[in-house]
Amino acid sequence: MKTRGGFLKAWHLALRSGSVWLLIGLLFTACSSGKEFQRFAKTDETGLYILRPNSPILAIYSFDVDIYRYPGHFSQGGETLAKSVSLHTGEYIYLKLTPGFYLIHLKEQEGHRHILHIRSGQTSIRSIEIFNREPFSRADIRIIELDREQAAGFLITEAGRMYAHTQSEDQ
């Protein structure tokens, strides 16, 4: 009985410290079969990068991302689905888009809507950020805008490079 109690204490300590989640995250990113990030798209190209940086938090889940395009201004509504992808941790996608208003929707958070305006010759970069305040709290998800330097920090890290989604248009 003492051995079992010691094992349970060690297991709870490992869970609380996050080392188990880190191990799971590394396992899933090591199993990725996509191409590694090489370079950004041309600076005058109109497009969108969506990154899901390596994170041990929710690493085993893929996030379903829907990208809708508005025919005019977003306040008029009428958006249509332009692309639907599933991103894993350590994965990114680049999409060549026409200028206009777009909506990024994460199926994991029904009420979350991220609207962006992409201008001609502009490449926009967004990152799906996952964080939680306590070890066993529900993780919050948000989409944030990054500049090229911040994105490069995620795309090319000390642990390696992020992998391109199979539908990424930057290869």
Side-chain angles (χ1 to χ4, degrees):
M1 291 299 231
K2 283 187 176 183
T3 307
R4 183 170 185 222
F7 173 76
L8 288 176
K9 286 181 183 177
W11 179 250
H12 287 293
L13 180 62
L15 281 174
R16 285 187 19 213
S17 70
S19 59
V20 170
W21 302 118
L22 179 62
L23 180 62
I24 291 171
L26 290 174
L27 175 68
F28 277 89
T29 57
C31 296
S32 181
S33 62
K35 294 182 180 179
E36 289 184 332
F37 174 79
Q38 295 300 316
R39 64 184 167 277
F40 283 109
K42 296 176 185 174
T43 54
D44 62 344
E45 200 169 90
T46 305
L48 170 67
Y49 279 97
I50 300 178
L51 284 57
R52 175 149 181 232
N54 284 312
S55 171
I57 303 169
L58 300 176
I60 60 174
Y61 297 104
S62 61
F63 287 155
D64 294 326
V65 181
D66 290 336
I67 298 136
Y68 295 90
R69 185 177 196 297
Y70 291 97
H73 194 271
F74 70 89
S75 63
Q76 298 168 343
E79 65 271 13
T80 57
L81 184 64
K83 191 68 135 177
S84 186
V85 297
S86 183
L87 286 178
H88 300 283
T89 190
E91 195 171 48
Y92 76 92
I93 189 166
Y94 175 74
L95 302 170
K96 294 178 183 176
L97 302 174
T98 57
F101 286 95
Y102 289 85
L103 166 72
I104 301 173
H105 178 257
L106 297 175
K107 291 183 181 177
E108 287 72 24
Q109 284 199 320
E110 275 308 311
H112 188 74
R113 297 168 56 92
H114 183 84
I115 297 172
L116 63 142
H117 184 222
I118 296 182
R119 293 176 178 84
S120 181
Q122 173 191 6
T123 299
S124 186
I125 307 169
R126 298 297 191 269
S127 176
I128 299 172
E129 298 291 320
I130 306 163
F131 63 97
N132 57 347
R133 294 178 178 91
E134 297 176 17
F136 296 105
S137 66
R138 183 172 185 252
D140 292 320
I141 304 168
R142 63 183 174 175
I143 298 173
I144 61 167
E145 183 175 6
L146 300 176
D147 61 28
R148 288 174 89 82
E149 288 179 29
Q150 293 169 318
F154 287 124
L155 290 163
I156 305 170
T157 66
E158 292 175 12
R161 295 172 186 261
M162 288 181 65
Y163 289 91
H165 188 276
T166 56
Q167 298 176 27
S168 189
E169 300 171 353
D170 66 339
Q171 300 296 328

